[in-house]
């Protein structure tokens, strides 16, 4: 299935019908019936399947009516400018659930681009797609080395979450920049740390015991602080 | 295996040796060798296994040297007071990964108790244990209806995350209270919403598209704001 990916469930499938190129639909009869207008107008091939057949092909524990085969998006870099607002850069985020959740964070906070280093999970992995909850239709995911990205965008602030950085709440975030999120076990690699202009830490609670936060949670907390709507 | 649970991997197993009651150790020879002092002094039964055998019994995709069988903790409610600091209350959090990640958040922010409604994931589910990254040794998990908890702790502020509440950044958090986190799909149930004293919303970004945040991420963002170390 080169250039294709799978997506499951009623909610995301509805979004996909509107926002993506659907190659084939495998769905239960009532789902096809409920969406026949758009299926016909877009001339999408479909196969009616039973609940039992859906269970057999689904990767979900509780499959929900429909499974789609979609065309992967083509993301072109030429026009990307990081001179306004924030973008995320993921350094070897390996867990597909984390990656999908980070895309969902970006979507919530209005971050248009999520860049990925080599060694990140495949952004079309079905667990990434499901955890993104539709973010893949709105957030652009682009695999590119950080150094290359910064060549085209010199002088932008590059923030990264580390364990011994400046207190997140004492920073005055710039109007734009890149937020680097490190690997689940090892954090941001030394090579990429040398490209950071600001090292940031989420302060641990007074009696906190954990060694670190989950990467998707950490990215959510940083995005919440950096991408607050104005006036907050 | 009534009253027991499983835990895997070198890092958490080390913590478990110190902080929990280990019933049996299944580990590769070098792991047993490296920890023989504490294994002998605590007289813990163990079985040396090969990498292949570990792979066969492990629930992880990349098992790491050791699998432990542990005794479940006994959590007594009698002495719990919510008059100082914060605690979390989970309303039907069903995904074990989310639940474990929320425990890890609590651990990071120094929150000592996580209460669970009926319908939450089993806190001894192996996915909860693994995602908690050791938080289960420090954070107490107690299954209790919210109304019952509040009977014993009248007049404490009860915050809950909803989609149409007060802006999180415009709230002056009290010195203590309970933070209620709702179910992944449905949010906080109407029954529990009626027990909230404050409804709180994490503001969406200016161009944000997602319908909601992941429950573990949302809890992390709220904890970060409510449990900031003093002076921030």
């Amino acid at each position: 299935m080169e250039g294709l990916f799978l997506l499951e469930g009623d909610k995301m499938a509805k979004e996909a019908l509107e926002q993506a190129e659907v190659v084939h639909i495998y769905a239960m009869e009532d789902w096809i019936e409920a969406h026949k207008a758009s299926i016909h107008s877009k001339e999408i091939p479909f196969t009616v399947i039973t609940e039992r057949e859906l269970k057999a092909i689904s990767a979900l524990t509780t499959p929900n009516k429909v499974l789609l085969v979609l065309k992967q998006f083509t993301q072109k870099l030429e026009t990307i400018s990081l001179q306004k607002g924030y973008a995320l850069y993921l350094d070897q985020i390996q867990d597909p659930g984390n990656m999908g959740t980070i895309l969902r964070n970006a979507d919530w906070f209005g971050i248009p681009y999520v860049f990925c280093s080599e060694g990140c999970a495949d952004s079309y992995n079905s667990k990434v797609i499901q955890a993104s909850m539709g973010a893949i239709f709105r957030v652009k995911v682009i695999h590119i080395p950080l150094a290359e990205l910064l060549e085209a965008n010199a002088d932008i602030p590059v923030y990264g979450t580390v364990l011994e950085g400046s207190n997140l709440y004492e920073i005055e975030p710039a109007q734009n920049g890149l937020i680097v999120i490190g690997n689940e076990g090892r954090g941001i690699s030394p090579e990429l740390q040398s490209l950071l202009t600001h090292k940031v830490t989420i302060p641990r609670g007074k009696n906190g015991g954990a060694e670190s936060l989950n990467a998707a949670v950490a990215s959510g907390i940083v995005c919440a602080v950096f991408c607050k709507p104005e006036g907050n």
Side-chain angles (χ1 to χ4, degrees), chain A:
Chain A
M1 291 206 311
E2 207 169 330
L4 303 178
F5 69 101
L6 297 177
L7 175 152
E8 296 197 51
D10 173 57
K11 208 166 179 176
M12 280 213 273
K14 275 181 198 155
E15 286 194 66
L17 274 189
E18 285 171 30
Q19 305 191 39
E21 199 171 333
V22 182
V23 175
H24 202 100
I25 301 174
Y26 297 88
M28 287 162 63
E29 197 161 8
D30 58 336
W31 199 90
I32 297 289
E33 185 59 28
H35 299 88
K36 64 181 174 193
S38 35
I39 294 171
H40 283 300
S41 76
K42 294 183 179 180
E43 299 178 356
I44 305 169
F46 65 88
T47 306
V48 173
I49 58 177
T50 63
E51 191 161 7
R52 199 170 156 180
E53 288 167 325
L54 181 62
K55 268 210 160 147
I57 58 174
S58 171
L60 304 179
T61 42
T62 43
N64 187 2
K65 305 231 170 197
V66 52
L67 185 151
L68 301 185
V69 181
L70 303 168
K71 261 218 177 118
Q72 292 185 6
F73 312 106
T74 40
Q75 315 281 24
K76 284 185 197 149
L77 189 65
E78 305 149 22
T79 53
I80 291 174
S81 158
L82 301 178
Q83 302 305 316
K84 245 179 100 179
Y86 279 91
L88 294 181
Y89 190 92
L90 310 187
D91 181 21
Q92 301 176 62
I93 291 292
Q94 290 173 333
D95 180 90
N98 280 342
M99 183 147 165
T101 305
I102 291 173
L103 295 179
R104 185 175 174 187
N105 291 345
D107 193 18
W108 176 267
F109 289 109
I111 292 173
Y113 301 115
V114 174
F115 301 99
C116 300
S117 74
E118 243 180 87
C120 275
D122 174 4
S123 51
Y124 291 106
N125 175 309
S126 69
K127 284 186 189 163
V128 175
I129 302 295
Q130 295 306 128
S132 86
M133 296 291 282
I136 38 127
F137 299 126
R138 290 174 292 269
V139 175
K140 293 198 166 48
V141 181
I142 296 160
H143 290 258
I144 181 175
L146 179 56
E148 194 178 314
L149 181 64
L150 293 178
E151 266 170 37
N153 288 276
D155 302 326
I156 64 162
V158 184
Y159 298 88
T161 49
V162 298
L163 283 174
E164 306 283 341
S166 311
N167 184 325
L168 174 65
Y169 298 107
E170 289 168 4
I171 281 179
E172 271 294 337
Q175 288 295 310
N176 70 319
L178 203 59
I179 301 167
V180 181
I181 307 294
N183 168 271
E184 289 92 346
R186 298 182 304 271
I188 301 176
S189 68
E191 188 198 334
L192 296 204
Q193 283 210 27
S194 69
L195 298 172
L196 301 178
T197 60
H198 301 74
K199 293 182 181 178
V200 178
T201 296
I202 299 164
R204 198 195 305 249
K206 204 176 143 199
N207 300 308
E211 228 176 68
S212 64
L213 283 164
N214 165 277
V217 172
S219 85
I221 293 172
V222 175
C223 291
V225 169
F226 278 58
C227 306
K228 264 186 246 183
E230 274 167 56
N232 281 295

